[in-house]
């Protein structure tokens, strides 16, 4: 297996609209990111993933691309982008771009042409179907953003498929010209020096050629799940053709040195492992959302992590995610001390952690007043589905009027606690979230066992405590996390252990006994 550098990297996700506004229009931009590279370096990360910056009408904030060869003028231009790459690389920070291959914007020139007539060379680049004989939609497929996945287009009297917003028509991956063009776009950015891609909704590419109705989901709860979950997506998700296509797209990445591709998929463990097997390269990994999807219980998390690490094996890298631009913030979900423990686990487990901007500050969800809602999911579903604006609020740099994010009012309101929870104040507070992240990352980046070591599960007799060892040739690091909100005692393995770090940042030093008492929700890193 060809070794690459990604197994020892820590990726930081930037939502460019919300990170740093360099030109005073209230919206974050590329030069804003470049200005903050030293902050990121100092934090201890060494790779970035930028959410979509392609040209876009911004109905879905960049996930509706109208030109894959341009950055949107809101964010800057290609010169700014090249400069960001250069400055990042100077600091040994890799840059992953988002990649949105399932759909384009309806404003894309391809779709404009496609919808203009039934006979044109772009018609078959999208998925068009005649109405049923009674005039209704071609089948029961649903859009992720609410309602049918089909939209009737007056001009040619046919429906087009949109798995997401109506403004995001799905590309037809069964058309070889589409595949050729997408590969060309990938090479365009790879040649520019981009270090790889995060592939948006990677499991959606191919749809059933017979357009069969999807069956009802027996587990669907009408008040709990969005309408999309009322069906089992056996004809639109994870088709064998899709998996094979991901392998082919990944091969484009591997034409270049030390690149990486991470795919956005939501699925169960066996299928995740299967995808690792199919693509079979260290330069590939799918996202793993287990910290978000499983209950915050030591036993549930341990079962998954132990199996995951073992099943994919030492040649591949697991990934761990605590949040993204699509999910409630981890602190709001679990509570502050629990989120600190989750971060310690994420950053010490074997594999690649993905930190969502602001997680290092302990940023929370921000309730958005109705008139300020921007997310199409919230708008389409009238606020019944979780809108994503609450997790996309501006990065909190300091306690000034606009949190140091911009000189003018930002595109989304600031999170309520920004005056006390920001980079400037947290830098001065020895026990802050920010200093916790920095301290863990410093340990991670200096201890070989944490970057390269094997993962060895620890059979702690206490069901509320998750433990594991990371072991490299000459070094062992031992991690323990208390998932309960009570004190917990745990027996240590043989050895002379020292506390290197606690999530409370209030104790270090030798442990004299063979039993360690953990504070409520505390996690610790021990070394010999
Ligand atoms: O998200 C895919 C996706 O499945 C989301 O719709 C997710 O389920 C939802 O946000 C949960 O609240 C990707 C992007 O990450 C997202 O931002 C885009 O809106 C979407 O694809 C369409 O491109
Ligand atoms: Ca700006």
């Amino acid at each position: 297996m060809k070794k690459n550098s990604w197994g020892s990297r820590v990726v930081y996700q930037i939502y460019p609209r919300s990170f740093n506004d360099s030109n005073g229009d209230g919206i974050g931009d590329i030069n804003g990111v470049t200005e903050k590279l030293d902050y990121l370096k100092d934090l201890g990360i060494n790779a970035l993933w930028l959410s979509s910056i392609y040209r876009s009408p911004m109905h879905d904030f960049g996930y509706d691309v109208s030109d894959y060869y341009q950055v949107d003028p809101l964010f800057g231009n290609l010169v700014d982008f090249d400069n960001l790459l250069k400055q990042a690389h100077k600091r040994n920070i890799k840059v992953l771009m988002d990649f949105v291959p399932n759909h384009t914007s309806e404003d894309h020139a391809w779709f404009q042409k496609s919808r203009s007539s039934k006979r044109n060379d772009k018609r078959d680049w999208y998925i068009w179907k005649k109405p049923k004989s009674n005039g209704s939609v071609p089948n029961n497929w649903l859009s992720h953003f609410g309602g049918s996945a089909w939209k009737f287009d007056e001009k040619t009297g046919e429906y087009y498929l949109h798995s997401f917003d109506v403004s995001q028509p799905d590309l037809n991956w069964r058309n070889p010209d589409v595949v050729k063009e997408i590969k060309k776009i990938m090479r365009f950015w790879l040649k520019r020096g981009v270090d790889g891609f995060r592939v948006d909704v990677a499991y959606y590419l191919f749809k059933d050629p017979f357009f069969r109705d999807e069956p009802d989901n027996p587990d669907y709860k009408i008040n709990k799940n969005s309408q999309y979950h009322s069906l089992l997506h056996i004809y639109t998700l994870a088709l064998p053709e899709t998996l094979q296509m991901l392998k082919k797209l990944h091969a484009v990445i591997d034409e270049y040195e030390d690149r990486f591709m991470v795919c956005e998929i939501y699925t169960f463990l066996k299928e995740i492992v299967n995808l690792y097997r199919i693509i079979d390269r260290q330069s590939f990994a799918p996202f793993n959302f287990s910290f978000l999807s499983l209950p915050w219980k030591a036993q549930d998390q341990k079962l998954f992590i132990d199996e995951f690490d073992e099943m994919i094996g030492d040649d591949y890298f697991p990934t761990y995610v605590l949040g993204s631009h699509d999910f409630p913030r981890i602190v709001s979900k679990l509570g502050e001390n629990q989120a600190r423990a989750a971060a310690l686990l994420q950053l010490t487990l074997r594999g690649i952690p993905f930190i969502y901007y602001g997680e290092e500050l302990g940023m929370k969800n921000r309730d958005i007043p109705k008139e300020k809602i921007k997310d199409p999911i919230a708008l389409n579903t009238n606020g019944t589905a979780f809108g994503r604006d609450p997790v996309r609020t501006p990065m909190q740099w300091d306690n000034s009027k606009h949190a140091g994010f911009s000189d003018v009012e930002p595109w989304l309101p600031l999170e309520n606690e920004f005056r006390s929870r920001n980079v400037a104040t947290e830098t001065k507070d020895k026990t802050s979230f920010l200093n916790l992240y920095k301290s863990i990352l410093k340990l991670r980046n200096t201890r070989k066992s944490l970057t390269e070591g094997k993962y060895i599960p620890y059979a702690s007799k206490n069901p509320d405590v998750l433990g594991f060892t990371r072991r490299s040739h000459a070094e062992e690091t031992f991690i323990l996390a208390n998932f309960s909100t009570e004190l917990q005692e745990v027996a240590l393995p043989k050895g002379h252990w020292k506390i290197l770090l606690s999530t409370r940042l209030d104790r270090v030093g030798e442990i004299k006994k063979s039993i360690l008492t953990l504070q409520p929700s505390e996690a610790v890193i021990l070394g010999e």
Side-chain angles (χ1 to χ4, degrees), residues 374-385:
K374 300 268 175 6
D375 180 18
I377 291 195
L379 294 172
N380 292 356
T381 57
N382 233 326
T384 53

Side-chain angles (χ1 to χ4, degrees), residues 20-29 74-75:
N20 183 31
D21 173 19
S22 75
N23 63 348
D25 61 359
I27 295 174
D29 44 57
L74 262 181
F75 296 130

Side-chain angles (χ1 to χ4, degrees), residues 113-124 156 158:
K113 188 148 187 210
S114 186
R115 77 178 348 172
S116 68
S117 70
K118 279 191 188 166
R119 275 163 210 271
N120 71 71
D121 65 343
K122 294 290 182 293
R123 183 66 172 182
D124 192 42
T156 55
E158 288 190 342

Side-chain angles (χ1 to χ4, degrees), residues 448-449 452-453 471-476:
K448 261 222 153 90
S449 54
E452 293 172 9
R471 185 182 297 153
S472 60
H473 303 295
E475 188 187 84
E476 271 198 12

